[in-house]
Amino acid sequence: MTTAALRVSAGWWRRPAEWPAGIARAWSRSLQFRTVLITVCLSGIAILVTGLVISYSVGNDLYSSRLDQALRDAGRAQQQVQSSLDATDASDPATVLGLGQAVKSVVQGASSSRMLAFIRKPGQPADPQAPTDYTAGGMSQSMISTQLASAVAKSSDTLYSQSVALPVDGTSNATHPGVIVGTQIHLPTAGTYQLFLGYDLSDAEQTLNFVQRTLVLAGIALIALIGAVTFVVVRFVVAPIQLAAATSRRLAAGDLEVRIPEDGEDVFTTLARSFNAMADSLQRQITQLATLSQLQQRFVSDVSHELRTPLTTIRLASEHLYDRKDAFDDSTSRTAELLHAQVERFDVLLSDLLEISRYDAGSVSLEIESTSLVRLAEDAIEEFEPLAHANGTELRLSAPGGYSEVPMDARRVRRVIRNLIGNAIEHGEGRPIDVIVDSNSTAVALAVRDHGMGMSESEVGHVFDRFWRADPSRRRTIGGTGLGLAISQEDALVHGGMIDVWSRQGEGSCFRLTLPRKRGAVIGESPIPLPPADAEGTAS
């Protein structure tokens, strides 16, 4: 059994109420446990069926044997009694009356049974000289069923038997199995009588009980032996699989040097060779990709840094020209304006490239401070108010919650909010834009809802791709670089949060930023629903 399965079974066996759950966990986690349990269950069913068949067969054989013995014994007694009666001189009435006791003496001498009933056959005329009915040895007429008495009365030469429950020591509460054999005898001048002999079969029952106990003990021992053998065999089979699973987990965790030992020439060794060859190939490819990635990140970072110096010089020159544009002619003035705008955009692009390269390199560090998400939203709205007014767009803030301060990197979250509001203004077609801030027990959220043209499902799938634009022909009004949403997504993820988007053509879009209230906490349900409540076909 695996280490995980052993940990599972270590404590739950002391609490019977947890047994079903513990067995279920062991079943789902341990191949060895499943194999042993299935083998033991199937073996137990086979042994149970075999034991029942053997027990039934032995019981029938014992009963048949004891019944045959009882019939032979009763037949021998009936013959001796009849022979003795036929040789008796029945001319004397006193002798006839004594024949009943003579029958008892002959039966007890010729039969192994001491239980007998001597009953005059019904339907004969009354005869005061005939022997009276009697029972002996614990026999009573109530033990003789009507069916047995009727069968004996119809035939004079046949022995009939019936299984009965005989009382133990004359008590009525405890019984043991028995059989009663009935036949007819003819008394001279006295008519026909029915002779019933009882035979105790408790010895056969004891033998059967012994056989059954032996079968039960042997079955339990055999099941335990099968379980032990299966456990040992499966352990040898499962151990290499467990080793392969553990090795693959370490490989997936980043330990590229781990390998499976190759010992022997069996199928597991072949599996180990194949696995190790795959691991070698993966290591080479991952190392190559990592090297290429590092070179790419270094190239972007180096180029961005190297461009800073000439860009600073160009920006100073462009600002000087821009400040004196009024002294130039119209063509030169327009050229200075374009140069100034593109230099500013180039500066933003370099900043974004440096930021995204930091995320790619995993070298981002947060400056955590407690900040209100509502305050950041208010600052961003105030900053974009002139641009929104120029585009004929109304910015509306709705903040049912989110006023409490939450630990975050305010600079990065402010950048996310600015990016979402700026995109909404650019794609909002001059319609109102709603900024919603709310919170619950686990998270705070901000949503920016515009009512512009919206996006299709395929476009929504690419909205966070780098340098992707839904409409490449659309003119940029705020100088975006195409990296804003990609950086915003990274900013949300580094906080342990997320950015979701809903969009529908003709109904606009809604971007939602959700952050945890506490660092490292798990976000449950976002306090702001998506799709938004005002979307068509959405239940309120």
Side-chain angles (χ1 to χ4, degrees):
M1 193 177 296
T2 63
T3 304
L6 289 175
R7 287 198 299 267
V8 168
S9 61
W12 64 266
W13 63 271
R14 297 189 182 94
R15 299 180 292 274
E18 298 181 9
W19 288 0
I23 293 175
R25 286 193 297 270
W27 175 273
S28 63
R29 297 181 182 181
S30 174
L31 174 62
Q32 188 171 358
F33 178 80
R34 288 199 301 272
T35 305
V36 173
L37 184 60
I38 291 174
T39 303
V40 169
C41 290
L42 294 179
S43 301
I45 293 173
I47 292 172
L48 176 62
V49 172
T50 304
L52 292 176
V53 171
I54 294 175
S55 178
Y56 179 79
S57 177
V58 170
N60 281 343
D61 289 344
L62 286 175
Y63 177 77
S64 299
S65 176
R66 289 292 287 117
L67 180 60
D68 291 342
Q69 182 180 356
L71 290 174
R72 289 195 300 270
D73 186 84
R76 183 172 58 253
Q78 188 265 348
Q79 291 177 1
Q80 292 190 13
V81 168
Q82 192 63 56
S83 298
S84 176
L85 293 175
D86 292 342
T88 301
D89 182 9
S91 59
D92 184 6
T95 303
V96 174
L97 287 173
L99 288 179
Q101 296 300 319
V103 169
K104 179 179 179 181
S105 300
V106 174
V107 168
Q108 291 179 345
S111 171
S112 61
S113 175
R114 294 296 177 265
M115 299 177 62
L116 64 90
F118 184 72
I119 303 171
R120 183 174 173 81
K121 180 181 177 181
Q124 298 181 90
D127 186 355
Q129 296 182 359
T132 58
D133 298 347
Y134 67 86
T135 60
M139 175 76 81
S140 65
Q141 292 191 20
S142 61
M143 298 179 185
I144 304 170
S145 66
T146 304
Q147 294 82 358
L148 179 60
S150 299
V152 173
K154 292 178 182 178
S155 178
S156 60
D157 299 326
T158 306
L159 295 172
Y160 294 93
S161 63
Q162 186 178 42
S163 298
V164 295
L166 301 178
V168 177
D169 298 330
T171 63
S172 57
N173 295 329
T175 60
H176 48 218
V179 64
I180 294 179
V181 180
T183 186
Q184 290 186 12
I185 58 175
H186 302 283
L187 272 67
T189 70
T192 302
Y193 279 75
Q194 295 174 326
L195 179 63
F196 297 95
L197 300 178
Y199 294 89
D200 188 353
L201 302 184
S202 58
D203 55 343
E205 183 183 36
Q206 293 175 359
T207 302
L208 180 60
N209 290 337
F210 173 76
V211 172
Q212 291 175 340
R213 287 194 301 269
T214 303
L215 288 175
V216 169
L217 295 177
I220 294 174
L222 185 58
I223 291 175
L225 179 61
I226 291 174
V229 172
T230 305
F231 178 83
V232 173
V233 173
V234 173
R235 186 173 183 83
F236 282 110
V237 175
V238 171
I241 299 177
Q242 293 175 343
L243 177 60
T247 304
S248 63
R249 284 195 297 269
R250 292 177 58 187
L251 185 64
D255 186 0
L256 301 180
E257 301 294 334
V258 65
R259 296 293 184 270
I260 300 177
E262 301 178 12
D263 297 325
E265 297 295 334
D266 56 14
V267 65
F268 291 112
T269 304
T270 303
L271 173 63
R273 292 196 187 99
S274 301
F275 182 91
N276 293 339
M278 178 190 69
D280 292 338
S281 177
L282 286 176
Q283 184 179 17
R284 288 192 299 270
Q285 294 181 22
I286 291 174
T287 303
Q288 182 179 4
L289 290 174
T291 302
L292 291 176
S293 177
Q294 291 175 358
L295 291 175
Q296 180 186 17
Q297 294 169 12
R298 187 180 304 164
F299 174 78
V300 173
S301 178
D302 292 345
V303 168
S304 301
H305 280 291
E306 291 299 326
L307 287 176
R308 277 295 179 189
T309 300
L311 178 61
T312 301
T313 303
I314 295 173
R315 185 173 61 183
L316 291 174
S318 68
E319 289 177 352
H320 177 72
L321 293 175
Y322 183 76
D323 291 340
R324 302 186 60 185
K325 64 184 171 77
D326 294 336
F328 302 142
D329 57 65
D330 292 342
S331 176
T332 306
S333 177
R334 178 58 181 163
T335 302
E337 290 177 354
L338 291 175
L339 177 63
H340 181 268
Q342 292 303 314
V343 169
E344 290 292 334
R345 183 169 178 268
F346 192 21
D347 187 40
V348 174
L349 177 60
L350 277 179
S351 298
D352 287 349
L353 284 174
L354 283 173
E355 188 68 16
I356 206 73
S357 67
R358 293 190 190 98
Y359 277 114
D360 290 340
S363 60
V364 173
S365 59
L366 299 179
E367 298 178 2
I368 300 298
E369 58 179 300
S370 296
T371 308
S372 168
L373 193 59
V374 174
R375 183 169 61 81
L376 295 181
E378 291 173 342
D379 293 343
I381 291 174
E382 182 179 356
E383 178 183 353
F384 278 96
E385 193 66 45
L387 180 60
H389 181 72
N391 284 268
T393 300
E394 179 186 2
L395 295 177
R396 302 182 299 201
L397 175 64
S398 174
Y403 291 91
S404 60
E405 294 187 346
V406 175
M408 66 178 75
D409 188 330
R411 179 182 66 86
R412 296 181 185 277
V413 175
R414 183 181 290 107
R415 179 170 60 191
V416 174
I417 298 174
R418 292 180 68 258
N419 188 275
L420 297 181
I421 295 178
N423 284 343
I425 294 174
E426 183 171 350
H427 299 280
E429 304 293 334
R431 297 167 184 162
I433 295 174
D434 296 310
V435 180
I436 305 102
V437 183
D438 204 351
S439 60
N440 58 22
S441 59
T442 61
V444 293
L446 177 142
V448 179
R449 170 77 162 103
D450 69 70
H451 299 81
M453 295 303 296
M455 297 178 289
S456 64
E457 291 185 6
S458 61
E459 291 172 338
V460 170
H462 297 282
V463 73
F464 293 105
D465 293 349
R466 299 176 183 181
F467 301 107
W468 182 86
R469 297 183 65 187
D471 185 2
S473 64
R474 180 183 292 270
R475 181 175 60 88
R476 296 183 189 267
T477 61
I478 57 175
T481 64
L483 292 173
L485 287 177
I487 295 176
S488 296
Q489 187 180 48
E490 295 291 347
D491 285 337
L493 293 176
V494 79
H495 281 84
M498 56 185 175
I499 292 184
D500 301 317
V501 59
W502 168 90
S503 186
R504 186 178 296 168
Q505 288 183 331
E507 298 184 32
S509 304
C510 182
F511 285 81
R512 180 182 67 184
L513 168 67
T514 306
L515 301 175
R517 293 183 69 94
K518 297 180 180 179
R519 291 284 296 163
V522 177
I523 297 176
E525 184 178 359
S526 178
I528 301 177
L530 276 186
D534 61 350
E536 290 185 10
T538 303
S540 59

